Amino acid sequence: MLDLRTAAYGATALRITLGLMFISHAYLKFAIFTVPGFEGYLAAQGLPTFLAWPIVLGEFIGGTAILVGFYGRVVSLALIPLLVGALMVHAPNGWVFNVAGGGWEYPAFLAMAAFAQGLLGDGAFALKSVTLSELIGTKATPRAA
């Protein structure tokens, strides 16, 4: 059962946390690992190095949009492929993320959190939201319970 009195605040908490996570990971790749270092990591994984900047910018711009609730639902769904890519890179390392190279459970959790945000919506205090029916281009029709 959904508690309509608090659901919007729960969605907001998820949105803020998810946005901050994306921003912090972009910062990690930019300032700590450096973009050339991240390119080297991508190359070691057999991935094209030209993906480094799109990933970093996607995480930063997307994370900022999610954080402030600027089409956060849409951005959360749009970033799922990035999280699935991270999941695929970390999957061979095992389950727990503190193993060498990081495991798959954290990217899997984040992908599901982004999916949940897409289903829930932006919650309270969002700058610009879109409803699920607007997103998929249908009109919501009320049905009897």
Side-chain angles (χ1 to χ4, degrees), residues 45-67:
Q45 303 305 310
L47 297 168
T49 59
F50 73 83
L51 291 175
W53 274 109
I55 290 171
V56 171
L57 291 173
E59 288 178 339
F60 181 74
I61 295 168
T64 302
I66 293 168
L67 176 66

Side-chain angles (χ1 to χ4, degrees), residues 64-143:
T64 302
I66 293 168
L67 176 66
V68 301
F70 186 77
Y71 295 102
R73 160 182 265 165
V74 175
V75 176
S76 293
L77 293 172
L79 288 175
I80 289 175
L82 189 144
L83 294 167
V84 170
L87 172 64
M88 301 307 283
V89 166
H90 292 288
N93 302 332
W95 177 59
V96 183
F97 203 69
N98 64 353
V99 299
W104 61 265
E105 99 287 351
Y106 187 59
F109 174 79
L110 293 173
M112 289 308 298
F115 182 65
Q117 186 74 60
L119 292 175
L120 287 169
D122 294 323
F125 315 113
L127 287 183
K128 178 68 176 160
S129 294
V130 62
T131 65
L132 194 55
S133 59
E134 291 170 328
L135 182 61
I136 60 176
T138 62
K139 277 197 134 187
T141 53
R143 292 187 286 162

Side-chain angles (χ1 to χ4, degrees), residues 13-23 63 66-67 72 76 83 109-111 113-115 117:
L14 177 60
R15 187 189 83 227
I16 289 169
T17 304
L18 195 59
L20 289 173
M21 185 283 311
F22 275 114
I23 293 167
I66 293 168
L67 176 66
S76 293
L83 294 167
F109 174 79
L110 293 173
F115 182 65
Q117 186 74 60

